[in-house]
């Protein structure tokens, strides 16, 4: 099963369906293009996929799909 290794060392699966570490995001502009009931598969095509490491909380965004490189974001708190 494909996976990526987080900076903390935890291996995150990519192919699990449904994936408990995977989130789906869509831009507000793209979402605004839908005004009626949507075809779930058509909407799914618009999503950006990201994984949340359940060990350290880092987020791994696949901006160009799973075939492209993942970009890591580390959580920080604003005080
Ligand atoms: Zn991690």
């Amino acid at each position: 099963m494909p996976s990526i290794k987080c900076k903390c060392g935890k291996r995150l699966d990519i192919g699990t369906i449904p994936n408990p570490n995977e989130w789906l995001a869509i831009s507000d502009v793209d979402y605004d293009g839908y005004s009626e009931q949507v075809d779930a598969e058509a909407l799914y095509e618009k999503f950006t996929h990201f994984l949340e490491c359940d060990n350290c909380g880092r987020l791994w965004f696949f901006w160009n799909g799973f075939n492209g490189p993942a970009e890591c974001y580390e959580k920080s708190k604003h005080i």
Side-chain angles (χ1 to χ4, degrees):
M1 178 172 296
S3 64
I4 64 167
K5 187 176 180 183
C6 185
K7 290 182 177 181
C8 73
K10 176 85 187 266
R11 194 151 279 287
L12 305 172
D13 289 335
I14 294 175
T16 306
I17 301 173
N19 189 339
N21 297 107
E22 184 176 339
W23 293 79
L24 306 169
I26 188 170
S27 76
D28 194 44
V29 171
D30 282 346
Y31 185 74
D32 200 47
Y34 296 94
S35 59
E36 299 175 9
Q37 285 193 333
V38 298
D39 177 336
E41 292 300 319
L43 181 60
Y44 190 81
E45 294 295 318
K46 291 285 190 182
F47 286 136
T48 295
H49 299 256
F50 67 96
L51 302 176
E52 180 181 33
C53 178
D54 56 355
N55 187 50
C56 70
R58 286 185 176 92
L59 304 176
W60 292 89
F61 273 77
F62 295 83
W63 292 110
N64 298 304
F66 287 118
N67 293 326
E71 200 167 85
C72 180
Y73 295 85
E74 195 169 334
K75 293 180 181 177
S76 64
K77 292 185 178 176
H78 294 275
I79 300 174

